[in-house]
Amino acid sequence: MVRFLFLFLLILIMGTVSISKERAFSVAEIGSSAKFIGLGGIELSTSSAASVFHNPALLQGKYSYSLSVFTTQLFNEVNYRNLAFSKQFKKFNFGVGYMDARVVDLPTTVKLTDNMGSYFDITGYYDISFSLYKAAISYQLNNNFIFGVGVSYIDNSISDISANGFNADLGLNYKYKNNSFSLSIDNIFQYYDLEYSNDADEAYPLKATFSYLKNFAFVTPMIQYSLVQDYLPQMAIGMLFKYPKFSFLDGFLGYKSDYYLDDYDYKFTLGLGLNFFGVNFHYAYQKSDYINTDNYSFFSMMIKI
């Protein structure tokens, strides 16, 4: 069974360089939690309900219930939020999640000319919304391997133009002693496009992500490498710091490559976490390249019971 899964996932990975279409934006690219963002967007950084947005195999954990809540504002106008819940049933773990990014009251204008010259007048306002619904299930194949499957439903709107579609993801997690390796394949249904009401369409990019971490007494280093169909690969490194005598507190650093047009933009993040009786609060800081915003601050909460 494990050999078959590896062969199937390998075939999908090879497909990341085979097809070229207009690339659809996924709101999940922003990140699922402050901890996830603070550790450079590495999938292995989170093993809770928030994993439903990235790698379904990572839903498995030492808990019965998990709840993740995250909200922030980008560029002083983009309101972003997500909510995820998961439940463990022996070897199975089931999770659901919702996230969206919205901008409201954007003006529409028209150019007018009179005897004083030309000027622009506001004729109305419109909203932009990107929404994602997720459901996933993971199964523990044996003591080392966990396999996961997730489905996505996308619902976007730009003024009076709307789009919706669906796709699916696969995930695999291998654990051995203090080592953990994960692999995720996003958007495996390459014959489905995101279709807009104005007859335009965008393709879901096939994406393969490899992550690895090793647990030491005081620090957990982690790395990640992603292949994105017809686009530049992405890389990330992260460091999680813990001191056993202060188990309620952890710190983290992250550094990753991101996209800026057709080139790279590199981002450095850092953050802190407070953990009390299964309730985790996380904060992450990221320097902004946006001229009107000096930095981004991210806050999230996670509950594991």
Side-chain angles (χ1 to χ4, degrees):
M1 179 64 175
V2 173
R3 290 182 180 179
F4 170 77
L5 289 175
F6 269 122
L7 179 60
F8 181 62
L9 293 173
L10 180 61
I11 293 172
L12 289 174
I13 293 169
M14 293 172 64
T16 59
V17 294
S18 62
I19 304 173
S20 178
K21 288 185 179 180
E22 187 69 23
R23 180 171 170 263
F25 166 76
S26 172
V27 68
E29 295 178 18
I30 299 174
S32 59
S33 69
K35 184 179 180 181
F36 177 86
I37 294 172
L39 280 163
I42 296 176
E43 293 182 350
L44 279 170
S45 64
T46 177
S47 58
S48 66
S51 298
V52 72
F53 298 115
H54 304 292
N55 187 335
L58 300 178
L59 285 171
Q60 207 81 9
K62 296 179 181 179
Y63 56 85
S64 295
Y65 299 90
S66 175
L67 175 68
S68 176
V69 180
F70 178 40
T71 182
T72 191
Q73 188 178 70
L74 304 173
F75 309 112
N76 291 329
E77 60 182 358
V78 182
N79 296 304
Y80 175 73
R81 59 187 178 175
N82 72 49
L83 174 69
F85 173 81
S86 67
K87 172 72 173 75
Q88 189 159 315
F89 303 92
K90 293 184 178 180
K91 290 187 176 183
F92 286 93
N93 202 308
F94 177 73
V96 292
Y98 169 80
M99 65 166 56
D100 68 13
R102 298 176 184 270
V103 184
V104 299
D105 294 333
L106 289 168
T108 57
T109 60
V110 61
K111 186 177 181 180
L112 301 175
T113 302
D114 58 18
N115 56 358
M116 299 294 292
S118 298
Y119 63 97
F120 289 90
D121 190 27
I122 296 176
T123 59
Y125 296 89
Y126 68 97
D127 300 339
I128 296 176
S129 174
F130 294 91
S131 301
L132 174 66
Y133 300 82
K134 297 282 288 192
I137 189 170
S138 67
Y139 176 70
Q140 187 170 354
L141 300 170
N142 54 41
N143 291 333
N144 302 107
F145 284 96
I146 302 169
F147 178 69
V149 180
V151 293
S152 308
Y153 178 76
I154 297 93
D155 184 17
N156 298 343
S157 65
I158 304 173
S159 186
D160 58 350
I161 299 172
S162 61
N164 56 72
F166 76 95
N167 219 292
D169 312 320
L170 298 177
L172 190 67
N173 182 213
Y174 173 74
K175 298 178 180 179
Y176 180 72
K177 295 184 178 179
N178 293 325
N179 302 275
S180 185
F181 171 85
S182 75
L183 168 65
S184 66
I185 309 290
D186 298 340
N187 304 317
I188 63 174
F189 295 142
Q190 285 297 289
Y191 46 86
Y192 283 110
D193 289 340
L194 184 62
E195 299 182 350
Y196 285 82
S197 58
N198 63 347
D199 295 328
D201 62 79
E202 295 175 330
Y204 300 104
L206 192 62
K207 182 179 180 180
T209 300
F210 309 84
S211 305
Y212 170 77
L213 68 76
K214 184 175 181 61
N215 288 303
F216 294 97
F218 302 105
V219 64
T220 302
M222 55 191 75
I223 59 173
Q224 181 168 283
Y225 186 80
S226 299
L227 294 170
V228 185
Q229 178 183 300
D230 295 311
Y231 220 67
L232 298 170
Q234 294 175 303
M235 297 147 282
I237 58 174
M239 299 284 283
L240 176 65
F241 302 93
K242 285 189 174 182
Y243 187 61
K245 290 185 178 180
F246 299 98
S247 58
F248 64 91
L249 179 68
D250 53 50
F252 40 86
L253 302 172
Y255 185 76
K256 71 172 185 176
S257 64
D258 207 347
Y259 297 137
Y260 179 74
L261 300 177
D262 293 327
D263 206 347
Y264 283 124
D265 178 31
Y266 297 94
K267 295 180 178 178
F268 174 76
T269 51
L270 54 87
L272 290 171
L274 293 174
N275 315 296
F276 299 102
F277 307 106
V279 181
N280 313 120
F281 300 94
H282 293 111
Y283 165 78
Y285 168 88
Q286 178 180 291
K287 182 69 177 177
S288 171
D289 295 325
Y290 181 51
I291 192 170
N292 292 327
T293 305
D294 181 59
N295 59 72
Y296 296 136
S297 291
F298 304 94
F299 299 90
S300 65
M301 182 183 72
M302 224 174 274
I303 300 175
K304 296 179 183 180
I305 302 174

